[in-house]
Amino acid sequence: MNLTLKIWRQDGADVAGRLVTYQVSEISEDMSFLEMLDTLNEQLIASGEEPVAFDSDCREGICGMCGLMISGQAHGPEVTTTCQLHMRSFKDGDTITVEPWRAEAFPVVRDLVVDRSAFDRIIQAGGFISVNTGAAPEANNTPVPKVKADRAFDTATCIGCGACVAACPNASGMLFMGAKVTHLSELPQGQAERDARVVSMVNQHDHEGFGGCTNIGECSAACPKEIPLDVISTLNADFRKAKRGA
Ligand code: FES
């Protein structure tokens, strides 16, 4: 298929960006979206132009590196990561706009690459449990009810891609933070630091410049791992409890 691409080009963090139009041809519907961008970059390099900078690592929907805003939708028209989006989701002759995540807390580094280290700092603030390392403990020594184990596992699937922030009109990181807080607060190992964790993470989230949640739900709709919106309720309940000291 032949496509028109309008791609955000920005030479660095402190310079203005602009949309630049490119034509690509003979794109197979079996290509991933990133392979289509690879094809564009080969074309640009062959003609002596700068290739488009974009992030990727695993290309298997695991690492969360590859987020792009594709025609106004985080990760594009399917509920998946950009690397798992295939060109069969588009039609011959389509015009596709490709932009970086837009959020104050995710500054543009270059072209489609943003700095998502704000998420790392939220995790550093409390998204962990403090345990001595060593041999893996016997799992049956710490029974976890099935319902809690399932919810902890489901929320642990968050890959920190940032689509929730990009999709939210408030650029809130509360779905990401809610997933991390819920994952640990469902498990016995997460109880000792439960109150301190949620307060530290929320403080860091606000310090980074993410907005608050106003229950719009775009975050959960855009999430490639389908993290449910109610993790934000868990986050808020844990935060209130910690602040009350109850
Ligand atoms: S490149 Fe790892 S999730 Fe897309």
Side-chain angles (χ1 to χ4, degrees):
M1 63 180 92
N2 299 324
L3 301 166
T4 300
L5 304 175
K6 291 180 183 294
I7 298 193
W8 187 259
R9 303 301 311 258
Q10 185 171 335
D11 294 339
D14 300 323
V15 295
R18 73 277 177 213
L19 285 170
V20 179
T21 302
Y22 300 101
Q23 306 293 333
V24 284
S25 53
E26 296 179 25
I27 298 297
S28 160
E29 65 174 19
D30 295 327
M31 280 182 176
S32 73
F33 198 84
L34 297 186
E35 287 169 337
M36 183 276 292
L37 290 179
D38 290 339
T39 303
L40 169 67
N41 277 345
E42 285 166 11
Q43 189 177 302
L44 291 175
I45 290 167
S47 61
E49 293 180 62
E50 272 293 312
V52 177
F54 63 90
D55 262 336
S56 72
D57 190 355
C58 71
R59 298 201 175 198
E60 292 181 345
I62 299 168
C63 74
M65 287 289 288
C66 61
L68 297 175
M69 191 60 87
I70 300 168
S71 294
Q73 289 181 281
H75 291 304
E78 313 288 341
V79 178
T80 188
T81 53
T82 299
C83 61
Q84 293 294 295
L85 177 67
H86 284 81
M87 296 312 295
R88 67 183 71 98
S89 298
F90 301 90
K91 298 192 303 296
D92 183 39
D94 273 357
T95 296
I96 306 171
T97 305
V98 191
E99 297 174 86
W101 286 167
R102 303 286 188 191
E104 183 182 319
F106 290 162
V108 174
V109 176
R110 184 181 181 86
D111 294 340
L112 304 175
V113 177
V114 299
D115 178 356
R116 289 178 299 119
S117 58
F119 269 7
D120 297 336
R121 290 188 290 275
I122 292 173
I123 295 297
Q124 286 165 356
F128 52 82
I129 55 171
S130 301
V131 293
N132 295 328
T133 54
E138 164 56 44
N140 289 330
N141 286 347
T142 313
V144 180
K146 176 88 166 63
V147 172
K148 285 181 171 287
D150 285 351
R151 183 152 164 91
F153 185 83
D154 287 347
T155 52
T157 59
C158 167
I159 56 175
C161 65
C164 48
V165 176
C168 174
N170 305 329
S172 174
M174 289 180 71
L175 191 80
F176 162 77
M177 194 165 46
K180 303 304 177 189
V181 163
T182 304
H183 161 210
L184 296 175
S185 67
E186 289 288 352
L187 298 173
Q189 296 89 337
Q191 299 312 309
E193 292 155 301
R194 184 170 178 168
D195 290 353
R197 171 185 308 116
V198 68
V199 172
S200 296
M201 291 178 76
V202 168
N203 286 344
Q204 189 67 37
H205 169 275
D206 294 352
H207 174 75
E208 296 289 349
F210 294 105
C213 173
T214 50
N215 291 320
I216 292 167
E218 285 291 327
C219 53
S220 184
C223 175
K225 299 301 171 183
E226 302 182 53
I227 300 294
L229 195 57
D230 69 2
V231 298
I232 298 177
S233 306
T234 301
L235 170 71
N236 286 335
D238 267 25
F239 183 74
R240 279 196 300 273
K241 177 173 162 293
K243 293 299 268 188
R244 281 200 312 265

